């Protein structure tokens, strides 16, 4: 009971210290409000207002139908280039992302049963837009050609009808994905920064000497910093989910928010331990920032939220299983997107608990050595 009292009082002290640090308070508020909203509404993975042009060497009803099929908001009004000689100059100037070339006698060859070819030039410097836009354009052109061919052949029906239903994000809105993944990334970043800053702040303000003469253990000091900073992040994440994600962005949360907060607490335990361990290696906030940034970038980029784990090399995929961010990303997607329960996500919860325990033991040893050096 005495140990719990020490942890509680030291945690309250951490909350008071955080309250009097306006930079960190602003960072927390900004990260879970404005940053979430702007990224979710500004970063689009679907095709929006893509620039497209046509070189129409056929000039027939079918070619006009294909040109008129590209509509806002997916595409800007289709432009018409005089000839294929103008394609390179227009694309080099960045005027168009896509250029479709319709060759002469395209409609006549199609009606005659021959196999004419369309040419699609794509500016692949915008990789995501190029990939998604190519799929959009291919589908639109195929639909127009199929409709024209069916009409010219007497309305022959296709032998197979394909119906596509998208689960969890029926309208394929990128804001639904970006909002939740931004919260996951911000939790990762702040858990490192706040826990490490708490240790650096003790050293820079000279209060580490006060802790050395108090009847408290390094584990108690660490647990106090973890619960204090972790509770702030959990509260900020909850408000962000309810106010920003569900309220302003109108994103549907399929699963239990309380289960998500439980997993967040376990993840914060692991990440805060890592942040404290890194802080024991640094002597100032700039040094700690240089140490924390590579960890955050790698853990965020390779966690499965930015790029799927299945697309990574096997050795890298196995290596990232030792990162708590990998399991937290998988856990968050399962709970918030697919409405999974404890019976589904318990492996991720167990993995975060195990990794957090290992990181906590390492951090306690590093912190104890730091305090011993300071006392000597």
């Amino acid at each position: 009971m005495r140990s719990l009292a020490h942890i509680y009082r030291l945690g309250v002290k951490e909350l008071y210290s955080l309250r009097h640090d306006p930079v960190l308070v602003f960072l927390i508020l900004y990260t879970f409000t404005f940053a979430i909203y702007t990224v979710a509404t500004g970063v689009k993975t679907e095709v929006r207002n893509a620039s497209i042009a046509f070189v129409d060497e056929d000039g027939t009803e079918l070619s006009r139908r294909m040109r008129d099929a590209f509509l806002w908001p997916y595409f800007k009004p289709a432009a018409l280039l005089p000839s294929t000689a103008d394609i390179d100059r227009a694309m080099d100037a960045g005027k168009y992302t896509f250029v479709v070339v319709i060759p002469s006698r395209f409609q006549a060859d199609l009606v005659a049963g021959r196999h004419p070819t369309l040419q699609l030039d794509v500016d692949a410097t915008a990789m995501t837009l190029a990939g998604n836009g190519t799929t959009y354009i291919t589908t639109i052109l195929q639909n127009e050609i199929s409709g024209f061919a069916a009409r010219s052949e007497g309305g022959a029906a296709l032998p197979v009808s394909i119906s596509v239903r998208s689960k969890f994000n029926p309208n394929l809105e990128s804001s639904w994905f970006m909002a939740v993944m931004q919260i996951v990334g911000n939790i990762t970043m702040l858990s490192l920064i706040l826990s490490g800053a708490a240790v650096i702040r003790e050293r820079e303000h000279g209060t580490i000497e006060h802790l050395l003469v108090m009847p408290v253990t390094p584990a108690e000091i660490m647990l106090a910093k973890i619960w204090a900073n972790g509770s702030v992040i959990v509260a900020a994440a909850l408000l962000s989910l309810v106010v920003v994600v569900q309220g302003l962005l109108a994103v549907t949360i399929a699963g239990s928010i309380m289960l998500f907060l439980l997993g967040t607490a376990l993840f914060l335990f692991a990440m805060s331990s890592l942040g404290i361990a890194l802080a024991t290696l640094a002597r100032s906030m700039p040094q700690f920032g240089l140490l924390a940034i590579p960890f955050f970038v790698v853990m965020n980029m390779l966690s499965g939220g930015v790029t799927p784990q299945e697309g990574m090399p096997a050795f890298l995929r196995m290596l990232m299983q030792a990162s708590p961010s990998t399991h937290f990303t998988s856990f968050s997607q399962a709970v918030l997107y697919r409405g999974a329960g404890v019976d589904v996500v318990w492996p991720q919860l167990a993995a975060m608990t195990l990794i957090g325990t290992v990181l906590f033991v390492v951090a306690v040893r590093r912190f104890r050595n730091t305090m011993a050096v300071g006392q000597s």
Side-chain angles (χ1 to χ4, degrees), residues 37-56:
Y37 183 82
T38 53
V39 170
T41 56
V43 178
K44 297 292 184 181
T45 57
E46 65 265 31
V47 176
R48 283 290 187 274
N49 292 323
S51 56
I52 186 170
F54 280 80
V55 177
D56 188 358

Side-chain angles (χ1 to χ4, degrees), residues 1 4 143 164 185 197 240 270 307 357:
M1 295 300 296
L4 291 177
N143 290 339
V164 178
S240 183
T307 179
T357 302

Side-chain angles (χ1 to χ4, degrees), residues 335-347:
V335 173
L336 298 179
Y337 290 148
R338 300 188 289 274
V342 178
D343 58 324
V344 175
V345 299
W346 70 264

Side-chain angles (χ1 to χ4, degrees), residues 29-44 175 178-179 182-183 186 240 243-245 247-250:
L29 294 176
Y30 169 81
T31 300
F32 283 103
T33 54
F34 186 76
I36 300 290
Y37 183 82
T38 53
V39 170
T41 56
V43 178
K44 297 292 184 181
S175 61
M178 295 302 301
Q182 189 68 12
I183 289 181
N186 290 348
S240 183
V243 177
V244 180
V245 176
L248 295 178
L249 298 174

Side-chain angles (χ1 to χ4, degrees), residues 59-303:
T60 58
E61 177 190 356
L62 176 58
S63 67
R64 287 191 293 272
R65 284 184 54 172
M66 289 191 291
R67 296 200 324 254
D68 295 339
F70 293 87
L71 304 175
W72 184 88
Y74 304 109
F75 295 91
K76 296 178 180 178
L80 192 61
L81 295 179
S83 67
T84 55
D86 300 297
I87 296 177
D88 288 343
R89 183 171 62 255
M91 296 192 77
D92 288 344
K95 292 182 178 179
Y96 308 108
T97 305
F98 307 97
V99 177
V100 180
V101 178
I102 305 176
S104 60
R105 297 191 56 80
F106 178 81
Q107 178 177 312
D109 290 341
L110 182 68
V111 173
R114 292 185 285 270
H115 299 283
T117 302
L118 290 173
Q119 175 179 312
L120 173 62
D121 294 306
V122 182
D123 180 3
T125 54
M127 187 178 64
T128 301
L129 176 61
N132 294 340
T134 299
T135 303
Y136 276 53
I137 293 171
T138 301
T139 301
I140 293 172
L141 293 177
Q142 286 178 342
N143 290 339
E144 291 299 322
I145 293 172
S146 298
F148 180 84
R151 190 188 66 178
S152 63
E153 295 175 3
L158 295 175
V160 177
S161 177
I162 300 176
S163 179
V164 178
R165 294 182 175 88
S166 301
K167 291 179 68 66
F168 315 121
N169 187 358
N171 294 324
L172 301 178
E173 291 286 343
S174 62
S175 61
W176 285 37
F177 175 80
M178 295 302 301
V180 173
M181 286 298 98
Q182 189 68 12
I183 289 181
V184 171
N186 290 348
I187 290 173
T188 304
M189 177 185 66
L190 282 181
S191 58
L192 276 176
I193 292 177
L194 292 186
S195 57
V199 176
I200 300 296
R201 187 166 55 238
E202 300 278 10
R203 184 180 296 118
E204 291 182 341
H205 293 176
T207 54
I208 191 71
E209 288 80 6
H210 300 166
L211 294 176
L212 294 176
V213 298
M214 293 176 63
V216 293
T217 64
E220 292 172 350
I221 297 173
M222 280 188 53
L223 287 173
K225 295 182 182 301
I226 290 173
W227 85 254
N229 293 288
S231 62
V232 172
I233 297 176
V234 168
L238 174 61
L239 290 176
S240 183
L241 274 176
V242 174
V243 177
V244 180
V245 176
Q246 289 185 313
L248 295 178
L249 298 174
V251 176
T252 300
I253 301 298
S256 169
I257 293 181
M258 295 308 298
L259 178 58
F260 171 72
L261 296 180
L262 171 63
T264 300
L266 293 176
F267 176 64
L268 288 171
F269 171 66
M271 291 301 297
S272 297
S273 300
L274 176 60
I276 292 174
L278 293 177
T280 60
L281 301 174
R283 296 298 174 185
S284 63
M285 277 301 296
Q287 288 185 3
F288 172 72
L290 292 175
L291 283 173
I293 288 175
F295 276 86
F296 165 71
V297 170
V298 172
M299 295 174 72
N300 187 54
M301 295 295 293
L302 302 182
S303 65

